[in-house]
Amino acid sequence: MTGQICDLPALELVRRLKRGEFSAGEALDSTLARIELVEGRSGSVQNTSADPLDAARVHAYITVTRERARQQARAVDRALASGEDPGPLAGVPLAVKDIFCVAGTPSTAGSRILANFVSPYTATPVARLEAAGALTIGKANLDEFTYGSSNESSAFNPTTRNPWAADRVPGGSSGGSAAAVAAGEATLSLGTDTSGSIRQPAAFCGVVGLKPTYGRVSRYGLIAFASSLDSPGPLARNTTDAALMLGAIAGPDWRDSTAANAPLTDYVAELEAGVQGLRVGLSPDFLRLRTPDAETGELREQGLQPEIEQAVRRVAETLAGLGAEIVEDVPMPSVRFAIPAYFVISRVEAASNLHRYDGVKYGHRAAGPAADLSQLYRRSRGEGFGTQPKLRILMGMYVSGAQYEKRYYEQALRVRTAIRRDFERAFDQEGPARLDALLAPTTPTTAFELGKVYGDSVLMQYADLLTVPANHAGIPALSVPAGLDTSRLPIGVQWMGPDFSEATLLRIGRAYERATADQPWRQIRPAILRELMSA
Amino acid sequence: MAEAPKPKPIDEQVFQHLVQLAALELQADEAEYLRHELNAQLDAIRELEAVRIALDLPITSHGVPYGPAIRPSPRGDQIRPSELADAILAQAPEVMDRYLVVPDLPRIDLE
């Protein structure tokens, strides 16, 4: 810790702010100063040539909303001065993944087709965070329309870099969010997770990422990818902050008919309950993987990066030492088909959702006269969409064609049910495993090099191999940092639990954090911070 | 003698049909890359054909079952005033007298 406000976790920041140790304006200034130090050029569709400085900066944002945050900070300080409660997130700098509409801000989805779109309304989770006193400091970069696991598909350059190693990807699609939280450019970030897009970048950037249960958090104002899978959720410095943020955004919303009426929990109050008596499972199906060979594309059995498997074992031992019961060899036979099923379901839904972009109502419109409306659509979409949306639309068209629907789409939906059944069996309190949570690695590898995977859309999709099963099942999953590999890159592990069991997952995560608080790896800071702050 | 490579399911003709359905205008080099990636993805997707799965396994609209206790009630069918009309229209690339302007609709003369 540097003692700077921008490096404080959210809960501590709020407590100290309320004690009068600093103002919301000072919290904002601290974060803006950090952005000045580490951000470099923020993402833009106008940036087409490389700048030598880009390689040593983070580039987490597309838009920094200084004035919005400044006004919010003044409101918090006014509330404090007049003795009013400024809210549970008072003065906390927040990065919003640029897949959420925020009134009056460019809301781009990282795509050229929405580069000029200024949202007229605000997404429900963002509105709730702002009502809780958070300061919206900017819109974070992401893979185009969230389609990717590295941030490299964004139309807004320079690409976000991993604060732990500038030649590595931050993960994706919430890569800007994870990088911002890791580098002190935001204290919290709101991301989305459709196949791992919160957890995978959280793991790569050494922060906490929580994918809530499907329906726990409203999707109103979220630019849709795969509507049956999309889950907004927190990226944070620790599990306490994730709990604090989830409490602010969870709950029903009349604007989203899939926002569940499930009872709300005080996630922070339950954090310190420990793991005594909890049953935590390990499954060989999350440790032995079938992934494509990088050269031939052939699927073959491969282990995890050994340091990641070792980290999972160490976490299990730590939990056992705290009184949890570790259940080995929990069978999850259907998760091996999670990626092929995801390829189908997500593409069908993406193709449907992307039909609204047509160059007529908003967004990019091809210049010059068009012979007819069809040509206007084709040209506007051809110019506006990048490679990844185009691939998803085309594949969605193919697999939902009348002649293939049964073979692919219906089969994929059945596989989704089979994956759900695997989890139901594991969590069944009358069944053999009776788990409270399943422990698994978050990713097969630590952060990979920029340019190494991008372009191979199959290999990139397999980066989500360990995260996408929770999306198919709809269940919550929490990723936390669990050490560094020999290259000093963060390792993430995740717990998955039954529907609406976020409080239990956060409890487990918090117990693990407390038990490992003194470990040397927790004192190491991201390389970009070490370099720029010592310069 | 080496085996001839198997023809890819998404050939040029199928691809052009998909491009038309997708309402996309593509550059030639871009089209070639996209078709290659689609066939690679299809190789991964075809693993689904080998999955032995009960045909009576129900399919769902999302993973979490929404029982009556958590299913939101439908909204009332009520007209709500919106103050966003001007802001929404301001996003449109071309507007005339508060109407969205588009080129002619495509026409096909039926014989």
Side-chain angles (χ1 to χ4, degrees), chain A residues 118 215 228 254 258-259 261 290 360-361 365 372-374 378-379 381 390 408 411 414 416-417 420 455 457, chain B residues 22-23 25 30 33 37-38 41 47-49 51 55 58 60-61 65-66 70 72 75 91-93 101 104 106:
Chain A
V118 177
S228 74
W254 65 270
T258 63
N261 273 334
R290 267 161 58 85
V360 173
K361 303 182 291 295
R365 180 178 202 154
D372 61 28
L373 187 57
S374 295
R378 289 196 303 271
R379 283 175 43 201
R381 290 160 63 84
K390 285 172 181 166
Y408 295 128
Q411 180 77 344
R414 283 200 181 85
R416 168 153 85 182
T417 303
R420 169 87 191 174
S457 61
Chain B
E25 190 172 277
E30 184 185 26
Y33 170 74
E37 289 300 304
L38 287 173
Q41 291 185 7
E47 215 191 340
L48 286 176
E49 296 179 55
V51 183
L55 286 175
T60 56
S61 55
Y66 277 19
I70 65 165
R75 287 201 297 263
Q91 294 298 316
V101 178
D104 279 348

Side-chain angles (χ1 to χ4, degrees), chain A residues 75 81 117 153 162 172 184 221 316 334 340 344 354 370 387 409 480 499 514 524:
Chain A
F117 175 65
S153 65
N162 191 317
S334 300
V344 174
L354 289 174
T387 305
Y409 187 51
V480 302
D499 297 342
R514 285 180 61 176
I524 299 171

Side-chain angles (χ1 to χ4, degrees), chain A residues 141-157:
Chain A
N141 210 340
L142 69 162
D143 280 291
E144 185 176 2
F145 280 101
T146 78
Y147 304 159
S149 306
S150 70
N151 257 51
E152 292 165 289
S153 65
S154 175
F156 290 70
N157 293 305

Side-chain angles (χ1 to χ4, degrees), chain A residues 171-186:
Chain A
S173 62
S174 310
S177 293
V181 172
E185 295 189 77

